[in-house]
Amino acid sequence: MTSIKTVGFIGIGNMGEPMAANIKRGGFEVIAFDLDPVRAKAFAEAHGARAITELAELGKACDAIVTMLPTGKEVREALFTMQGGALAANMKPGAIVIDMSSADPVGTRTLGKDLAARNLKLVDAPVSGGVTRARDGSLAIMIGGDAASVAAVRPVLACMGGKLFEVGTLGCGHAMKCLNNFLAATSFAAAAEAVTVGRKFGLDPEVIADVVNVSTGRSFASEMLIKQHLLSGTFGTGFALGLLAKDVKIAADLAEQIGIDAPVGRLTRDLWADARDALGGDQDHTRAALHWEKRALPSAAE
Ligand code: NAD
């Protein structure tokens, strides 16, 4: 396996933009592609990289392709459907796709087989830490794949991550990620519900957060989201409601696919899907709390 020099980056969004910038800063050649060519062009101009609109050219030029797209569906589209499947058809033999999107782990294993049939490799390497840690290159990265491919992509991942976890075979990264986000989604929903109940009884929500944050109920949601985004009315995490609803569904579906009864997963999936359907997937995910509160206190909305 040749060492990676040129990296194609597909998906210059909230996360992809700063992640691709860190790969460039790490000394790799970076070529950006996005469905919205304006984003790729702006990235290239800001960071002295290249932007490309032809997927065939991207495939020919790169030793590895990073995908940072909404779901596994868009990853498949970019590889096999868009521009007549030009990307997969033109990638160098042995080149590696690094899927850093939060995708469905079962679909990832299927994708790995489809790529292997074309002499291409796949590593799944989803991330946690949000836009802030994407910017400072300190993301937690959960890596699944065969040992040789993982070793080959580690230098690229090290540009973006503070902690690189090799969690198992292909798909294990995506399984780990959906389980993490299931926990994040559950604890945010629970913290928001505690605020609603406490406020109705007469507690000050700021006090609720202060107490919980030095007590056993604390979580990332209570420490980093409740005051900063919900109570302040900022709703500016940069993580869309539709994406978190998607992650919780992946986790609940995974349990079903492997025959595990996971009632908390089902309930959490339904809560987030309900908020997404009511508010729209583009809203910041912390706004879901407003929807749940409105549902819980119907008279407050009148
Ligand atoms: P985003 O919507 O900001 O960015 C997605 C980008 O992909 C956009 O620029 C869009 O134009 C582009 N795109 C969509 N379909 C495409 C296609 N077929 N081909 C090429 N480009 C296409 O999303 P994001 O917040 O950057 O999230 C990306 C992934 O990272 C998701 O899977 C998400 O769940 C995960 N994630 C997000 C966060 C966060 O805090 N935002 C944190 C961890 C993981």
Side-chain angles (χ1 to χ4, degrees), residues 140-202:
I141 306 185
M142 304 151 223
I143 313 165
D146 69 79
S149 302
V150 171
V153 303
R154 272 191 81 101
V156 177
L157 298 178
C159 301
M160 297 174 273
K163 288 214 165 33
L164 273 52
F165 295 97
E166 293 182 21
V167 294
T169 55
L170 187 66
C172 286
H174 283 148
M176 185 63 240
K177 170 64 185 172
C178 74
L179 293 172
N180 177 74
N181 280 26
F182 155 62
L183 291 173
T186 307
S187 55
F188 181 77
E193 192 167 295
V195 167
T196 298
V197 174
R199 195 194 324 244
K200 173 80 173 165
F201 189 73

Side-chain angles (χ1 to χ4, degrees), residues 16-146:
E17 202 277 340
M19 289 164 65
N22 282 329
I23 300 177
K24 175 75 177 130
R25 276 186 208 109
F28 294 92
E29 285 306 316
V30 175
I31 307 179
F33 177 92
D34 196 285
L35 202 53
D36 177 355
V38 176
R39 290 189 183 193
K41 192 160 173 280
F43 164 80
E45 284 170 4
H47 300 286
R50 278 174 70 198
I52 233 170
T53 53
E54 297 297 321
L55 286 168
E57 238 184 289
L58 188 71
K60 284 177 196 156
C62 297
D63 309 304
I65 302 277
V66 174
T67 46
M68 191 54 173
L69 296 169
T71 73
K73 180 172 165 280
E74 288 82 12
V75 175
R76 282 197 80 86
E77 279 170 10
L79 284 160
F80 298 126
T81 317
M82 285 171 67
Q83 300 181 9
L87 180 56
N90 285 283
M91 284 175 69
K92 300 177 187 178
I96 308 177
V97 175
I98 311 170
D99 183 21
M100 305 192 73
S101 329
S102 305
D104 141 45
V106 175
T108 298
R109 288 195 169 158
T110 306
L111 179 63
K113 287 188 188 130
D114 294 341
L115 288 170
R118 295 162 185 253
N119 197 14
L120 299 171
K121 307 277 185 192
L122 177 64
V123 168
D124 53 320
V127 305
S128 186
V131 174
T132 310
R133 284 169 59 191
R135 286 201 187 108
D136 66 22
S138 68
L139 291 164
I141 306 185
M142 304 151 223
I143 313 165
D146 69 79

Side-chain angles (χ1 to χ4, degrees), residues 55 71 95 99 114 116 127 147 171 224 228 232 238 243 246 280 284 293:
L55 286 168
T71 73
D99 183 21
D114 294 341
V127 305
M224 304 302 291
Q228 295 87 333
S232 71
L243 291 178
K246 173 256 310 182
D284 193 83
E293 185 170 60

